[in-house]
Amino acid sequence: KAGVTQTPRYLIKTRGQQVTLSCSPISGHRSVSWYQQTPGQGLQFLFEYFSETQRNKGNFPGRFSGRQFSNSRSEMNVSTLELGDSALYLCASTTGQVLSGANVLTFGAGSRLTVL
Amino acid sequence: GEDVEQSLFLSVREGDSSVINCTYTDSSSTYLYWYKQEPGAGLQLLTYIFSNMDMKQDQRLTVLLNKKDKHLSLRIADTQTGDSAIYFCAEKDYGQNFVFGPGTRLSVLP
């Protein structure tokens, strides 16, 4: 079974630009979560989508947004990029069924964004 | 709010045992997890434990859970250089909310 696929793996942008990252979850998984990982802040939760609806949201500004499509693939967008947005963006999928056991998060390899 | 804490660094000699510790605050945690992250990669699940268990063993990995003290540990027996990575502790509540610790960077010295 294919894992979680994130594209692109690496990208470089300049301040003020916007970026879209893509995540294809494991087949059958309906929940996709996004995390930002930086050396200083660690792993921070951005948001979670389940069945095309945002179900949970972290504490990030409105420049960070996401969506999920009917095939469970998800995209996240960051507008008006700042230097501090340079990070590894990780996507993870689960079945999304609450109260259904361990419901392990399976992560993709990440998209490394550098903002110059 | 919920919080998960870990020490940030650990160094061990090859062949020794490593013990990585984690504390959490959410008493409603249902499952606790250990993930491993190698350089340039995403997080890989190592193991998890249900909150009503106190120990789980999986080959070289032993997880101990002290629910009263909200303390979780991961022991790696016969640590190898390939075990050098960042290890994240995480907890999940009754919903779909996962909280991760800051990660412990394990360095294995030859």
Side-chain angles (χ1 to χ4, degrees):
Chain A
K1 168 154 118 164
V4 178
T5 304
Q6 291 189 246
T7 57
R9 288 293 316 278
Y10 303 92
L11 65 168
I12 299 174
K13 294 284 187 179
T14 56
R15 275 183 302 175
Q17 288 187 308
Q18 66 100 25
V19 66
T20 299
L21 309 177
S22 178
C23 173
S24 292
I26 287 175
S27 177
H29 283 189
R30 294 166 62 194
S31 166
V32 173
S33 297
W34 289 90
Y35 293 84
Q36 181 196 64
Q37 186 179 26
T38 58
Q41 298 295 318
L43 201 63
Q44 292 192 286
F45 172 71
L46 281 153
F47 28 65
E48 182 223 356
Y49 285 86
F50 177 76
S51 292
E52 301 178 67
T53 301
Q54 188 180 84
R55 186 161 67 173
N56 285 305
K57 187 177 186 306
N59 190 25
F60 276 79
R63 299 186 297 109
F64 292 82
S65 63
R67 59 178 175 168
Q68 187 179 34
F69 302 96
S70 58
N71 62 357
S72 294
R73 189 177 72 85
S74 177
E75 289 181 347
M76 67 162 281
N77 184 274
V78 188
S79 62
T80 321
L81 284 165
E82 301 176 359
L83 296 179
D85 297 333
S86 293
L88 180 66
Y89 290 88
L90 292 164
C91 157
S93 74
T94 76
T95 60
Q97 301 296 329
V98 174
L99 301 179
S100 66
N103 222 354
V104 168
L105 279 172
T106 302
F107 283 83
S111 292
R112 183 165 294 282
L113 170 66
T114 302
V115 181
L116 302 176
Chain B
E2 300 154 5
D3 194 23
V4 176
E5 294 187 352
Q6 303 174 241
S7 51
L8 297 182
F9 301 97
L10 176 65
S11 283
V12 299
R13 292 258 175 223
E14 193 173 13
D16 287 350
S17 290
S18 307
V19 179
I20 303 171
N21 294 301
C22 168
T23 58
Y24 59 97
T25 58
D26 186 2
S27 57
S28 67
S29 295
T30 56
Y31 286 88
L32 296 118
Y33 307 79
W34 284 104
Y35 282 84
K36 175 184 180 182
Q37 185 180 34
E38 295 181 359
L43 275 67
Q44 171 197 354
L45 178 73
L46 286 177
T47 187
Y48 63 88
I49 187 167
F50 185 45
S51 59
N52 71 353
M53 296 172 64
D54 51 22
M55 187 182 92
K56 181 177 180 181
Q57 189 152 3
D58 184 0
Q59 300 183 335
R60 292 191 298 125
L61 304 179
T62 303
V63 177
L64 295 178
L65 173 60
N66 181 327
K67 195 170 181 181
K68 174 176 165 290
D69 294 339
K70 299 191 185 68
H71 182 267
L72 182 74
S73 68
L74 173 70
R75 179 177 178 269
I76 306 173
D78 187 24
T79 312
Q80 302 298 308
T81 54
D83 295 324
S84 293
I86 303 175
Y87 291 80
F88 291 90
C89 166
E91 58 96 11
K92 182 174 85 78
D93 62 19
Y94 283 102
Q96 188 62 12
N97 302 309
F98 290 83
V99 179
F100 285 83
T104 299
R105 184 178 294 275
L106 174 64
S107 298
V108 182
L109 309 174

